[in-house]
Amino acid sequence: RFQACVYFASVFQAMSCGIHYLASVFMAVTPNFVCGFPGNVSSVLFHNSSATSIEDIWTLWTSTENYIVAQLENGEIWELDQCSRSKREVGLDLAYEYKGNKSVFPCSDGFLYDDTKWKSTVVTQWDLVCDREWLAKLIQPTFMLGVLIGALIFGDIADRLGRQHVIWFTSAGQFVFGIAVAFTFDYYSFVIVRFLLAMVSSGYLVVAFVYVTEFVGIKARTWASMHVHAFFAMGIMVVALVGFLVRTWWVYQIFLSIATLPFVLCCWMLPETPFWLLSEQRYEDVQKVIDTMARWNKVSAPCKVSELCSVQQDDLASGRMGDDDTSSAKKHNILDLFCNWQIARRTITVWLIWFTGSLGYYVFSLSSVSLGGSEYLNLFLIGAVELPCYIIACVAMDKLGRRNTLIPFLILSALICVLIMFIPQDFNILIILANMAGKFSIGVAFGLIYLYTAELYPTIVRSLAVGSGSMMCRVGSVVAPFCVYLRSVWIFMPLVANVYFFQLLVGIMALLSGILTIMLPETLGKPLTNTLVEATEMGRNKKSCSEKTPPANSGAASEKIEMFGQERISADK
């Protein structure tokens, strides 16, 4: 009962992380627009349709290459493009086609935006179009950069000051910075506050995962850790729902941030984890937490913490006399992940899977709003498809093995990406279904790579391997927005490849990752290795590795390292 309350209270806040991570898909939308009128308008002409105001023209707008002809009250006739406007020198008749002389002027009177879908976005608020368009495209990458830095900073602070304090601070920070984003006064303050919001959101996700992992028993740890992702996906679904209901960006941001408030009001009740208190030798506080758990769960503690600690200290003392593994472990660096060809090939493959998983996850999510049909429904389905994804991943990992689950889903995601390129653009439903299938398959691979990485490397470099993989993952999340934006600027590619270039990129990398994964060893049911020699031997001779008996003290070490590997699962997001 106690662990269930702690778990669901903590992962509830993970929804707000999913909310803030994907909020920009509707907040930074660029609607149809043209240059502003240089005066009062008497009539407007678009192809063969005429109107008295531009609002009546937007329903006919079909391409960015279109332009609007407007006649002012003083008789002047102007052609309004998206990033320039032209004054006709000769001719008083209002006609759409004109071959006479024109004088080109910049958009000094601002822009006119189509507000039929979105009443206001950050793009329309600060005119992030034309020569300022690149500023709009930096909104999501700078947020992901904050995610990267926040995971590093708050992960370290949580080890030093405790999980409880970081959860308090990051929860309050998500609410404060989330509301502050809605009241920023210019683009640069908006980006800075969003960067801080990304840091605390990422920090919470990392530390909350560690927090629930240290409270949940080992039998439920795989399922509990995987389903932190499920609550993140529910946050994506909330973004779609709020985006559909609220069309003004700052009101939209406030409603999204309010989702954080219930947890902020009760997070101070969550206790510190016994694992961290024990590492700080705060035995009395550990005993208080255990007694509280015992009362909630209506069980009795079998012994006192002080008795366990005395036995543990004796074991550690005897262990230090026999070897110096503890001191030697501190001397390892990232070069040890390339100590021989077997380990180096394994590292390159694992890094590629981490990068591909993160890239595919965010490419499919961010691009879902531009697939045609209802962008709100598309994003909602992209979030909903993750829920069964993690259930299948958990079952397959335990039944088929890590490698045998990873390979087919990586190759399947590659095939789906290729299939999307051959679906005609008019078949929106098929494109959306294929995009959901791609998100599903890459989600399975993305979810299980964390545990698989921890099992592939020995104790002395396991944390280093998981940490380096997590860094590659965050690099993928920073690159993903640029892959989505690339399709609008890569004018030298054929039309079909231009539209679906980012799926092609993900598909190629997923296929390559799936092929390379065949050379990785299976780790299901095998003891964790402790040295690089054992890890290398696992790749060369799977049978001898599986039959090898682990050292006597490997059980406790494996338990700690498994926990550390699981701690990193949500850091990439």
Side-chain angles (χ1 to χ4, degrees):
R1 184 182 304 157
F2 181 88
Q3 284 88 336
C5 291
V6 168
Y7 177 78
F8 285 106
S10 302
V11 298
F12 172 80
Q13 183 72 351
M15 285 197 300
S16 67
C17 298
I19 287 172
H20 294 306
Y21 276 43
L22 274 296
S24 66
V25 296
F26 297 131
M27 186 189 305
V29 171
T30 302
N32 296 324
F33 67 94
V34 293
C35 271
F37 297 125
N40 296 324
V41 178
S42 60
S43 60
V44 179
L45 183 64
F46 181 76
H47 290 292
N48 296 325
S49 302
S50 61
T52 57
S53 64
I54 193 172
E55 285 76 13
D56 301 327
I57 297 296
W58 290 126
T59 56
L60 306 174
W61 191 273
T62 57
S63 172
T64 57
E65 298 179 357
N66 292 329
Y67 63 91
I68 294 174
V69 179
Q71 186 172 31
L72 305 184
E73 292 181 349
N74 60 8
E76 295 179 349
I77 299 178
W78 290 76
E79 293 182 7
L80 305 176
D81 294 315
Q82 285 200 321
C83 297
S84 65
R85 56 187 181 179
S86 304
K87 179 183 177 182
R88 295 180 179 179
E89 299 293 344
V90 181
L92 298 177
D93 295 331
L94 184 62
Y96 194 75
E97 299 294 337
Y98 176 77
K99 297 182 180 180
N101 295 328
K102 303 177 186 178
S103 299
V104 181
F105 298 89
C107 300
S108 55
D109 294 301
F111 299 88
L112 299 174
Y113 297 96
D114 179 7
D115 60 356
T116 54
K117 274 191 176 182
W118 298 279
K119 298 299 181 182
S120 173
T121 70
V122 295
V123 173
T124 63
Q125 181 86 14
W126 297 304
D127 288 337
L128 304 181
V129 293
C130 297
D131 58 341
R132 287 167 57 87
E133 181 183 8
W134 64 277
L135 294 175
K137 296 187 183 301
L138 282 180
I139 291 176
Q140 188 66 17
T142 53
F143 185 92
M144 289 302 181
L145 183 61
V147 168
L148 189 156
I149 296 175
L152 296 177
I153 293 177
F154 287 106
D156 181 65
I157 294 176
D159 288 337
R160 297 174 184 271
L161 302 181
R163 289 79 163 98
Q164 183 187 50
H165 294 90
V166 175
I167 284 180
W168 290 354
F169 178 81
T170 53
S171 298
Q174 284 190 80
F175 178 74
V176 172
F177 291 131
I179 297 295
V181 167
F183 295 97
T184 48
F185 53 87
D186 62 7
Y187 169 81
Y188 298 102
S189 62
F190 170 82
V191 170
I192 292 173
V193 177
R194 281 257 303 170
F195 183 86
L196 298 176
L197 176 61
M199 289 181 61
V200 294
S201 298
S202 175
Y204 179 84
L205 205 56
V206 174
V207 178
F209 185 85
V210 178
Y211 186 81
V212 299
T213 301
E214 293 180 350
F215 269 112
V216 176
I218 189 172
K219 292 183 179 180
R221 186 169 297 157
T222 299
W223 284 79
S225 61
M226 288 291 288
H227 283 81
V228 173
H229 291 290
F231 283 87
F232 185 95
M234 291 173 65
I236 299 177
M237 297 163 67
V238 171
V239 170
L241 179 62
V242 176
F244 175 76
L245 297 174
V246 182
R247 306 298 178 91
T248 302
W249 78 267
W250 60 271
V251 179
Y252 162 85
Q253 177 65 28
I254 291 176
F255 272 94
L256 292 179
S257 301
I258 290 176
T260 309
L261 187 58
F263 183 79
V264 173
L265 298 177
C266 67
C267 67
W268 60 272
M269 300 172 62
L270 296 177
E272 184 57 81
T273 67
F275 279 97
W276 185 83
L277 293 172
L278 191 62
S279 68
E280 296 293 311
Q281 299 183 356
R282 292 167 54 178
Y283 304 131
E284 294 183 0
D285 293 332
V286 176
Q287 190 66 55
K288 292 179 181 178
V289 175
I290 292 179
D291 292 341
T292 302
M293 295 171 65
R295 287 195 304 271
W296 274 64
N297 297 334
K298 297 182 179 181
V299 297
S300 58
C303 60
K304 298 295 182 181
V305 174
S306 56
E307 298 174 5
L308 294 174
C309 292
S310 63
V311 175
Q312 183 187 43
Q313 290 172 355
D314 292 340
D315 292 341
L316 290 175
S318 61
R320 292 193 188 97
M321 294 175 61
D323 56 69
D324 60 347
D325 285 349
T326 302
S327 60
S328 63
K330 296 180 180 179
K331 298 178 182 179
H332 290 282
N333 55 54
I334 199 169
L335 295 179
D336 291 304
L337 300 180
F338 300 88
C339 62
N340 58 56
W341 169 243
Q342 193 81 8
I343 299 296
R345 185 177 61 186
R346 187 177 305 175
T347 300
I348 294 173
T349 301
V350 168
W351 281 5
L352 182 62
I353 298 171
W354 279 80
F355 179 84
T356 303
S358 178
L359 180 67
Y361 183 93
Y362 286 103
V363 161
F364 280 117
S365 297
L366 294 173
S367 62
S368 62
V369 297
S370 58
L371 295 177
S374 172
E375 55 269 31
Y376 308 104
L377 179 60
N378 293 349
L379 186 63
F380 184 87
L381 295 176
I382 283 294
V385 76
E386 290 189 53
L387 303 182
C389 159
Y390 299 125
I391 297 177
I392 292 177
C394 289
V395 173
M397 285 170 64
D398 292 336
K399 299 296 183 181
L400 303 179
R402 284 68 161 122
R403 184 188 63 179
N404 295 336
T405 302
L406 186 60
I407 292 173
F409 278 102
L410 281 173
I411 295 178
L412 178 61
S413 62
L415 295 177
I416 292 173
C417 289
V418 175
L419 176 64
I420 291 175
M421 295 184 59
F422 292 96
I423 300 177
Q425 298 183 42
D426 296 334
F427 291 74
N428 290 334
I429 296 179
L430 285 180
I431 294 176
I432 294 170
L433 291 176
N435 202 70
M436 291 176 59
K439 176 68 178 297
F440 180 92
S441 58
I442 203 70
V444 172
F446 191 35
L448 67 86
I449 186 58
Y450 307 94
L451 180 60
Y452 194 26
T453 301
E455 294 174 340
L456 284 173
Y457 290 88
T459 301
I460 56 176
V461 294
R462 186 171 289 119
S463 61
L464 186 63
V466 175
S468 62
S470 181
M471 287 296 298
M472 294 300 298
C473 176
R474 296 186 189 111
V475 172
S477 65
V478 173
V479 173
F482 290 107
C483 291
V484 177
Y485 300 146
L486 186 61
R487 67 174 186 168
S488 63
V489 298
W490 198 296
I491 61 176
F492 301 104
M493 298 182 65
L495 177 61
V496 174
N498 184 24
V499 173
Y500 300 117
F501 174 79
F502 49 91
Q503 276 100 346
L504 177 64
L505 176 64
V506 174
I508 293 174
M509 298 190 66
L511 179 61
L512 180 60
S513 301
I515 294 174
L516 293 177
T517 303
I518 297 175
M519 296 182 287
L520 295 178
E522 180 55 68
T523 60
L524 177 63
K526 296 182 180 179
L528 296 177
T529 56
N530 290 319
T531 66
L532 287 167
V533 175
E534 293 178 3
T536 304
E537 188 66 19
M538 178 175 63
R540 292 174 179 171
N541 191 341
K542 302 176 186 177
K543 187 174 181 179
S544 63
C545 250
S546 62
E547 295 174 353
K548 191 172 294 183
T549 303
N553 62 344
S554 66
S558 299
E559 173 74 13
K560 293 179 181 179
I561 295 303
E562 179 188 356
M563 184 186 311
F564 179 84
Q566 294 284 354
E567 290 171 8
R568 301 298 184 123
I569 286 188
S570 294
D572 66 292
K573 287 187 176 179

